[in-house]
Amino acid sequence: MRVAIVHEWFSGIGGSEKVVKAFHELFPDAPVYVFVHNKNNMPEEYNKMDIRTSYLQKIPFSKTKYQKLLPLMPHAVEQYDLSDYDLVISSSTCCAKGVITKADTLHICYCHTPMRYGWDLYHEYIKDKSTIMKWIISSQMKNIRLWDKLSSDRVDCFLANSNNVAKRIQKNYRRNSKVIYPPVDTDFYTLKGECGDYYLIVSRLVGYKRVDLAIEVFNELNLPLVIIGGGEEYKKYKTMANSNISFLGRLSDEEIRNYYRECKAFVFPGEEDFGITPVEAQACGRPVIAYGKGGTLETVIEGQTGLFFYNQDKQSLKEAVIKMEKSYKIFDSKVIRKNALRFSVNRFKSEIMDFVTEKVMEFHNKV
C-alpha cells in the first residue's frame, strides 16, 4: 500500500509534529508533504524523512513567517500531486486536509483542530487589529472559511485528537470523527528523584498561550518560575518578568525532561485542543495547574494529578498556585504517572493501525 503523509509545516517541534513522527514510524516509506521546512529548527530524525515542500518554500522568509502566507495555502495544498498513493493521511490544523485525491485513494485526516483563527478564535484574533487590518482580514477570512468548509468534504474519515476537538469538527464541518488521543513518549518521560522548589512552563511564547498571565501572578507571589521555549513574545515577556522568573529559551528534550522531573508543579495557563506538555509533566510524576477548559479537562484529574482554575484571569490562577503551594506534597507521583500512561506512543500506534486497517477494508469494499 502506497502511503503519503501531509502536514502543514516543519518549523519547530510541537504536539502535531510528534503525531507526524508516529505516523512516519508506522509508514517509514511515506513521503511527508509540507508547505515549508526549516531544517535549522527540526531534529535530524525529521530532516531525514522524505520531505516534499510546496512552492511556498521558495518565498523569502517563508520558513519563519509562514503564518503570513495563509491566503496562499489553500492553493498550495491543492498543487500536491498525490495520484500515486492508495492512502493519504493528513495532519491538519488549517489547510493540510484540503489535498485533492483520486476516487480510489482513501484520505484520513487526523485533525488537531479546525482552523481556530477562522472559527472559534476569529474575534479574539482580530480584536487588537486596526480598523483597516480588520477589514482586510475579514474579507480574506470569509473566503478562507468557505474553502475550509468545502475542503472538509474531501476527507473520507476524520480522527480528532480529543473530544474537545471532535465537538468542533461536528460544529464547523458537520462531520463525525473518532477520538484517538495523540502520542506522549511515556517511555522517555519518566519518574526520577525528588521535586525542586520551582514551577515550570514549557511553551511556545505566543499570545494565546497566556504565559503573560502566569508571569503577572508569579511576579506578585515572588515564587520561582522557569519558562522554557521561544517565540514572538519572548522579549516582551522577559521585560515583564521579575528576577524570580527565568527564561531558558529552547532546550533539548533531555534537558526539558530534567526540568519536568524536578519542578514543584507544571503551569498551563492557556486553552489548548489537547495539550501534550501537561501529559509529559504527569508522565514525570509532577502535578499540573491548568486552565479548566479545552483538552486539559480530558488529561488532568482534579485533586489527583493536578488543580484547575476556571477563570482565565490573574486572581483565579493566583488562588490555584497558592493552593498548590499548600498541598503539593499530597500528590502521589506514581498515581500521576499512571494517568499519563493512557496516552502512550504504543497505544496511539495500535489505535491508528486498527482504524486504518478497518477503514481501508471498508473503503475498498465500497470502491
Side-chain angles (χ1 to χ4, degrees):
M1 183 169 62
R2 295 162 298 179
V3 182
I5 299 167
V6 183
H7 187 56
E8 267 100 20
W9 42 74
F10 274 171
S11 62
I13 294 296
S16 62
E17 285 72 35
K18 293 177 181 179
V19 167
V20 172
K21 179 186 173 185
F23 286 152
H24 195 263
E25 288 171 350
L26 289 172
F27 304 103
D29 295 328
V32 181
Y33 289 79
V34 294
F35 293 129
V36 294
H37 175 208
N38 188 342
K39 293 181 180 180
N40 294 333
N41 285 355
M42 298 300 295
E44 192 59 27
E45 59 190 327
Y46 288 84
N47 293 333
K48 288 180 178 179
M49 297 177 185
D50 178 5
I51 298 172
R52 305 184 186 183
T53 58
S54 74
Y55 65 78
L56 301 182
Q57 179 83 5
K58 299 177 182 179
I59 297 176
F61 310 114
S62 64
K63 289 184 282 187
T64 55
K65 303 292 184 183
Y66 52 87
Q67 297 98 329
K68 306 293 184 184
L69 302 177
L70 176 62
L72 299 176
M73 289 179 185
H75 180 266
V77 80
E78 291 177 351
Q79 305 317 301
Y80 296 147
D81 182 1
L82 304 176
S83 55
D84 289 337
Y85 302 103
D86 305 300
L87 171 65
V88 171
I89 302 175
S90 61
S91 161
S92 187
T93 59
C94 64
C95 299
K97 73 179 188 318
V99 290
I100 297 173
T101 58
K102 295 193 306 181
D104 57 355
T105 299
L106 174 63
H107 178 189
I108 296 174
C109 174
Y110 189 89
C111 186
H112 306 277
T113 176
M115 191 185 299
R116 298 198 69 178
Y117 33 84
W119 299 100
D120 58 318
L121 291 185
Y122 169 68
H123 294 287
E124 183 175 334
Y125 175 62
I126 66 169
K127 69 178 180 181
D128 295 326
K129 307 295 184 184
S130 66
T131 301
I132 293 175
M133 282 304 298
K134 284 182 179 178
W135 184 85
I136 293 172
I137 291 171
S138 64
S139 60
Q140 290 181 336
M141 199 58 73
K142 177 183 177 182
N143 292 328
I144 291 173
R145 202 178 288 118
L146 288 170
W147 178 88
D148 189 48
K149 176 62 174 73
L150 173 68
S151 65
S152 70
D153 291 337
R154 301 172 186 172
V155 176
D156 295 301
C157 310
F158 269 104
L159 290 169
N161 72 353
S162 63
N163 291 300
N164 175 42
V165 166
K167 291 176 184 177
R168 294 212 303 274
I169 292 172
Q170 178 59 232
K171 172 72 173 180
N172 299 146
Y173 303 148
R174 306 303 184 199
R175 296 287 301 275
N176 294 325
S177 57
K178 177 181 174 62
V179 174
I180 296 181
Y181 290 122
V184 177
D185 193 349
T186 53
D187 291 333
F188 178 80
Y189 295 104
T190 57
L191 301 173
K192 187 177 181 182
E194 298 296 323
C195 72
D197 66 346
Y198 62 87
Y199 291 82
L200 177 66
I201 290 175
V202 178
S203 175
R204 283 188 295 120
L205 302 183
V206 294
Y208 80 92
K209 301 282 189 178
R210 295 311 313 271
V211 175
D212 59 320
L213 182 62
I215 292 172
E216 291 177 0
V217 168
F218 280 83
N219 277 345
E220 285 193 11
L221 295 175
N222 197 34
L223 293 170
L225 173 66
V226 173
I227 299 175
I228 297 173
E232 61 193 39
E233 302 290 352
Y234 181 86
K235 291 182 179 179
K236 174 185 173 182
Y237 290 167
K238 199 166 185 180
T239 302
M240 288 174 56
N242 292 342
S243 60
N244 58 301
I245 300 175
S246 303
F247 290 81
L248 304 185
R250 293 185 175 93
L251 299 180
S252 68
D253 288 344
E254 288 77 12
E255 291 171 311
I256 292 172
R257 177 177 61 183
N258 289 336
Y259 279 98
Y260 277 141
R261 286 169 169 175
E262 297 177 5
C263 71
K264 182 178 288 184
F266 185 77
V267 182
F268 196 73
E271 178 188 351
E272 285 286 3
D273 309 302
F274 177 76
I276 279 185
T277 53
V279 183
E280 291 175 344
Q282 290 176 83
C284 293
R286 306 317 309 144
V288 176
I289 301 172
Y291 177 44
K293 192 173 181 181
T296 55
L297 292 173
E298 301 176 50
T299 62
V300 178
I301 303 172
E302 173 76 30
Q304 293 185 38
T305 72
L307 300 174
F308 289 118
F309 64 100
Y310 292 97
N311 296 315
Q312 202 173 34
D313 57 38
K314 190 164 64 173
Q315 185 58 35
S316 186
L317 175 55
K318 184 177 179 180
E319 290 173 358
V321 174
I322 291 172
K323 185 176 181 180
M324 181 62 74
E325 270 291 289
K326 296 176 179 178
S327 63
Y328 73 93
K329 290 184 178 179
I330 71 170
F331 288 96
D332 186 328
S333 60
K334 293 181 180 179
V335 171
I336 295 173
R337 175 168 170 77
K338 184 178 179 181
N339 180 56
L341 292 178
R342 60 195 176 102
F343 304 102
S344 71
V345 174
N346 288 338
R347 179 273 324 164
F348 175 80
K349 289 181 178 179
S350 176
E351 291 182 14
I352 289 293
M353 284 307 299
D354 287 347
F355 183 84
V356 167
T357 301
E358 176 188 344
K359 294 305 175 182
V360 165
M361 291 180 64
E362 288 180 3
F363 182 77
H364 288 294
N365 286 337
K366 289 180 182 178
V367 173

